[in-house]
Amino acid sequence: MEDSFFIKVNGIVYEIVPEEGNTFTIFKNDSEYTQVLRNKNKKWMRIDYKTDEPILEENKEVEDIGRLIDRALGRD
């Protein structure tokens, strides 16, 4: 597992904690905020805490966070 790192999206600093596979736990304001997943189609999705299943929705914040995670990890 990789070390955590920080990104800044729209003036907000997020801590990114890599988990297994393409899953990341996101902290905002020093509190756990959400989990995101990069699927096989390179689409970023939020994970539902109750079901542990990806939520199929358009979410600009998740897409922006995911884009910067990809950039930080040197992925396309």
Side-chain angles (χ1 to χ4, degrees):
M1 186 162 66
E2 300 174 38
D3 293 333
S4 67
F5 56 94
F6 294 87
I7 62 171
K8 190 173 188 177
V9 177
N10 299 323
I12 299 170
V13 176
Y14 297 88
E15 181 178 7
I16 311 301
V17 180
E19 304 291 346
E20 292 182 24
N22 286 320
T23 303
F24 298 83
T25 300
I26 312 300
F27 288 82
K28 180 179 177 181
N29 299 323
D30 297 323
S31 297
E32 189 170 335
Y33 178 57
T34 192
Q35 282 192 310
V36 296
L37 166 72
R38 183 179 191 234
N39 71 13
K40 293 177 185 176
N41 296 326
K42 299 180 182 178
K43 175 77 174 154
W44 286 94
M45 296 177 283
R46 197 166 49 91
I47 297 174
D48 186 290
Y49 275 111
K50 294 179 184 176
T51 65
D52 273 344
E53 295 293 323
I55 299 172
L56 302 174
E57 68 180 5
E58 291 292 321
N59 186 315
K60 179 151 176 36
E61 181 183 30
V62 169
E63 291 172 15
D64 289 345
I65 290 169
R67 181 176 41 79
L68 290 177
I69 290 172
D70 283 339
R71 186 179 299 163
L73 298 178
R75 302 191 298 201
D76 54 11

